[in-house]
Amino acid sequence: MNNTRSASSSVSPATPDLLDNHRQSSCGEFSRLEKRMGPRNMTFHSKSMPRGSMFLDQEAFRSSHDKSSLQEEDKEITESLPADRFFDALQGPELETLKEKEKIVLPEDKTWPFLLRFPITSYGMCLGVSSQAIMWKTLATTNAERFLHLTQVVNHVLWWISLVLLLAVSITYLFKTIFFFQAVRREFKHPIRVNFFFAPLISVLFMALGIPHSITSNLPSMLWYFLMAPVLFLEMKIYGQWMSGGQRRLSKVANPTNHLAIIGNFAGALLGASMGLEEGPMFFFAVGLAYYLVLFVTLYQRLPTNETLPKELHPVFFLFVAAPAVASMAWTQLCGSFDLGSRFYYFISLFLYFSLVVRINFFRGFKFSLAWWAYTFPMTAVATATIKYSGEVTGLATQVLSIVMSGAATLMVIGVLVLTVMHAFVKCDLFPNDVAIAISAEQPKQKKWFKQLKNGSFGLKVSDKEDNQIDVEAPPLLNAHTV
């Protein structure tokens, strides 16, 4: 190394005796080594001075270290993370729990700004309430339920509540996109949360489906193309990754939340068919059906190495019910009647629904979170499909079933909404620090002193022509040269 001048210039003038002692010690070690090895040509290799050395100017070191740490932190925050980094740093089926020995770029002992704690999963609230508007509209307009004497007042009220909620969540997330764009970018790169980027579009589709007749009865067909264009764009990206995405392939990221990437197809087909369109809705229905079958089989054949869902995330199992329920309604609208195809999808959703409901203990004993909204939308979807079924297969049994399931879905939405308000405004714990988007860009490195000790950088390495290396305890201040 040729850094003698720079290294010596950093030595404090108050330590000449200490420096002489180190040089004499080094010369003594070299003399003993020469006697033992004989007169050979030897090469000295010296490694860089470790940080924090007593030979460095402490103030200059601190300032440079602070600048470099700030630059590294800024780089870690703004760097786009690959999928494998999320798998390395996080654990759990939803990839939201930090692994041991991992670090985050934001302080863990402080509450972060609200926008950083506001996740894309908040759109689950919009899905739950807007689907209720559709259900109550269907109840008021189905001939089999005329005996209830329902009007569209409830549908009207729920639709406006859905609109206000959707605007509130969207505006909040828009501010997050403006002020913390990198956090949003990390959510989009997250292998699981990327599915929730379908939720805003599905919510708008539900708003269009549940709009009261008093506002409008005929939506323009151009609205369907406007809404389905971003859905198609997202699907081409996500489905392409499922097929050949390496760390993002479906067998790696399979999770019940992947159903959100499927439901958009069926909801779009339902809306398009209700507008009188044919080819476009059928296209989305066919694509949704193909990928739903693949996803359904993949989720049922989870590999033994895949982790099971923790109790806190058990509500997302209800997403199994949502896709076939919406598909049955979409097929009914496409064909004009609740035929065999519609019943096929409906019976699948009904069986999945009851297979989950009977397992009461499976959905008890865990803390409330936004994941509970996964109960609401699927329960409402299968209840709406049951109302459609009761209109085709009239009878006391189907009428009672539709009323019971509609009541259960309504009570669930009311209960979850009350708990959400309580935890958001009373307990103030609805939005904890979101560690999933604050992981470091790189894996934690070993301590410098440990790496230096392991690599022998606290001493000199002497090698002869035969590549025999002998470690000599000497300060790293001396320059390297060839004898």
Side-chain angles (χ1 to χ4, degrees):
M1 297 174 60
N2 297 322
N3 59 348
T4 308
R5 190 170 301 173
S6 61
S8 60
S9 63
S10 63
V11 180
S12 174
T15 59
D17 296 336
L18 184 61
L19 181 60
D20 290 340
N21 291 337
H22 276 284
R23 286 175 175 169
Q24 291 174 6
S25 175
S26 303
C27 293
E29 287 289 338
F30 174 74
S31 300
R32 289 192 296 272
L33 181 66
E34 186 176 19
K35 289 179 181 179
R36 188 171 61 181
M37 298 183 62
R40 300 185 186 180
N41 291 332
M42 292 174 292
T43 303
F44 288 82
H45 302 278
S46 176
K47 295 193 175 181
S48 59
M49 185 185 304
R51 290 186 182 180
S53 172
M54 60 185 298
F55 301 107
L56 290 174
D57 183 3
Q58 297 297 326
E59 293 299 327
F61 170 74
R62 285 197 193 97
S63 61
S64 62
H65 178 71
D66 292 341
K67 291 180 180 179
S68 61
S69 63
L70 288 174
Q71 292 175 353
E72 291 178 359
E73 181 176 330
D74 182 67
K75 179 182 178 182
E76 288 180 336
I77 294 175
T78 59
E79 187 171 349
S80 178
L81 302 184
D84 55 352
R85 180 61 191 133
F86 287 101
F87 287 109
D88 290 339
L90 302 170
Q91 59 187 355
E94 293 290 324
L95 296 181
E96 291 186 347
T97 305
L98 196 69
K99 290 182 179 179
E100 295 182 2
K101 299 182 181 179
E102 283 288 343
K103 64 177 182 178
I104 57 177
V105 296
L106 296 174
E108 298 183 64
D109 56 343
K110 296 181 180 179
T111 302
W112 305 344
F114 171 72
L115 292 178
L116 273 179
R117 295 182 285 114
F118 190 80
I120 187 67
T121 54
S122 301
Y123 275 99
M125 297 183 289
C126 303
L127 292 174
V129 180
S130 59
S131 61
Q132 277 284 302
I134 300 175
M135 187 192 75
W136 281 93
K137 180 181 179 180
T138 307
L139 272 173
T141 56
T142 302
N143 292 328
E145 315 301 333
R146 292 282 185 182
F147 69 95
L148 296 174
H149 302 290
L150 295 175
T151 63
Q152 293 194 37
V153 174
V154 180
N155 164 241
H156 203 283
V157 172
L158 286 172
W159 190 86
W160 282 106
I161 294 176
S162 303
L163 180 61
V164 172
L165 182 61
L166 179 61
L167 289 176
V169 174
S170 299
I171 291 174
T172 304
Y173 203 78
L174 177 62
F175 278 115
K176 180 178 180 178
T177 305
I178 295 174
F179 294 105
F180 299 103
F181 176 75
Q182 296 302 330
V184 176
R185 187 182 181 188
R186 285 195 170 195
E187 282 196 291
F188 187 76
K189 294 292 184 180
H190 195 282
I192 306 301
R193 290 196 185 182
V194 66
N195 298 293
F196 284 93
F197 281 85
F198 286 93
L201 300 170
I202 299 173
S203 299
V204 177
L205 291 173
F206 285 173
M207 292 292 296
L209 287 167
I211 189 169
H213 291 302
S214 58
I215 297 178
T216 182
S217 299
N218 297 308
L219 292 171
S221 59
M222 286 301 299
L223 176 64
W224 184 83
Y225 292 100
F226 179 77
L227 294 177
M228 296 308 295
V231 173
L232 179 61
F233 173 78
L234 274 177
E235 287 178 350
M236 292 179 66
K237 179 177 179 59
I238 302 302
Y239 294 175
Q241 291 175 347
W242 286 359
M243 185 181 301
S244 59
Q247 288 290 333
R248 298 180 187 272
R249 65 190 183 276
L250 185 59
S251 59
K252 182 74 174 179
V253 301
N255 189 277
T257 56
N258 293 129
H259 284 103
L260 290 173
I262 306 294
I263 294 170
N265 289 278
F266 299 136
L270 176 58
L271 178 61
S274 65
M275 292 178 174
L277 303 175
E278 295 181 2
E279 298 302 320
M282 185 60 72
F283 166 79
F284 279 98
F285 185 91
V287 173
L289 179 60
Y291 279 92
Y292 173 72
L293 294 176
V294 174
L295 178 62
F296 187 84
V297 174
T298 304
L299 289 174
Y300 260 81
Q301 292 189 135
R302 292 178 65 85
L303 300 177
T305 55
N306 292 132
E307 298 183 60
T308 58
L309 283 172
K311 280 189 174 183
E312 291 76 9
L313 296 174
H314 282 179
V316 299
F317 273 103
F318 269 80
L319 290 175
F320 275 94
V321 178
V326 180
S328 68
M329 292 184 286
W331 188 256
T332 300
Q333 198 68 43
L334 286 168
C335 298
S337 63
F338 209 97
D339 61 4
L340 292 178
S342 301
R343 296 178 189 184
F344 176 81
Y345 306 124
Y346 168 67
F347 288 147
I348 292 176
S349 66
L350 192 65
F351 173 79
L352 292 173
Y353 179 85
F354 284 113
S355 66
L356 293 172
V357 169
V358 295
R359 304 183 64 189
I360 299 178
N361 293 331
F362 190 71
F363 301 99
R364 293 170 52 188
F366 48 88
K367 184 181 177 182
F368 176 80
S369 66
L370 284 175
W372 280 38
W373 281 96
Y375 288 129
T376 60
F377 155 56
M379 291 181 66
T380 305
V382 71
T384 307
T386 302
I387 298 170
K388 293 280 189 179
Y389 178 69
S390 68
E392 182 70 21
V393 182
T394 57
L396 181 61
T398 56
Q399 289 176 336
V400 171
L401 182 62
S402 61
I403 294 173
V404 170
M405 298 189 71
S406 299
T410 302
L411 290 176
M412 178 59 69
V413 171
I414 294 175
V416 174
L417 183 60
V418 170
L419 288 173
T420 301
V421 173
M422 183 180 67
H423 281 271
F425 299 103
V426 179
K427 295 186 176 181
C428 299
D429 60 352
L430 184 63
F431 302 105
N433 290 344
D434 191 7
V435 299
I437 63 170
I439 60 176
S440 59
E442 298 179 356
Q443 291 183 351
K445 298 180 180 179
Q446 294 175 328
K447 297 290 185 181
K448 280 189 172 294
W449 63 267
F450 179 78
K451 290 183 67 177
Q452 291 169 342
L453 181 63
K454 182 178 179 180
N455 297 331
S457 59
F458 283 118
L460 293 174
K461 288 186 177 180
V462 184
S463 62
D464 57 9
K465 291 182 179 180
E466 300 173 358
D467 286 333
N468 296 321
Q469 295 186 351
I470 301 176
D471 293 336
V472 180
E473 293 183 357
L477 181 67
L478 300 178
N479 63 313
H481 60 278
T482 304
V483 180

